[in-house]
Amino acid sequence: MSGYEVYKKELLRLGYNSSDNEVVFSDSRLLRAKELINQILSDLNIGQINELSSPINCSKAELEAVCYGVMMLLSLSEGESEKNKLFTDIYNAKRAAVLSRVSLIEDTLPKAESGGV
């Protein structure tokens, strides 16, 4: 799966459809998508992609974690608080499973707290 396919898949999960193409596939959004994917890839110690068209070379479990991590960051950047909490929980579980081969996990991503700020 390429970075672009991950981005497109996660936009559909957020509720964007083909009529939103001008907004979600603008150059600035695509550049941001690459940054988000690379942030998650780095967090999972997988590596980086140079372009969205580059394939993400990892196991199925790692790819699933990447997808949920990107979803978590997209929902955060789009202001989808309730969805962000759900995807943060899922990502942290998938991340823990992927990183279980590592003897010690020194950091974790922050979890959204329920309630007002």
Side-chain angles (χ1 to χ4, degrees):
M1 184 177 277
S2 71
Y4 180 76
E5 290 169 322
V6 168
Y7 176 61
K8 189 174 175 182
K9 178 180 178 179
E10 301 320 316
L11 285 174
L12 289 173
R13 285 188 183 168
L14 257 182
Y16 290 98
N17 58 42
S18 58
S19 65
D20 301 315
N21 280 346
E22 285 185 27
V23 175
V24 297
F25 295 111
S26 66
D27 290 341
S28 62
R29 287 285 187 116
L30 292 175
L31 179 61
R32 180 72 177 135
K34 186 181 102 176
E35 292 171 1
L36 296 177
I37 291 168
N38 279 333
Q39 184 176 350
I40 296 298
L41 290 172
S42 177
D43 184 50
L44 297 172
N45 299 317
I46 295 173
Q48 302 280 299
I49 57 171
N50 294 323
E51 298 178 1
L52 281 177
S53 60
S54 301
I56 299 173
N57 298 316
C58 59
S59 70
K60 184 177 177 179
E62 289 171 329
L63 185 58
E64 196 169 310
V66 169
C67 288
Y68 280 103
V70 170
M71 185 67 215
M72 174 191 68
L73 294 177
L74 278 173
S75 63
L76 179 64
S77 67
E78 295 298 320
E80 299 277 351
S81 301
E82 288 302 312
K83 289 180 182 178
N84 181 255
K85 181 176 178 0
L86 171 68
F87 289 115
T88 298
D89 291 342
I90 294 170
Y91 173 66
N92 279 332
K94 302 256 181 221
R95 179 181 188 265
V98 166
L99 295 178
S100 65
R101 59 183 155 75
V102 177
S103 62
L104 176 65
I105 299 174
E106 294 181 12
D107 60 346
T108 58
L109 291 172
K111 292 177 69 171
E113 304 233 356
S114 59
V117 175

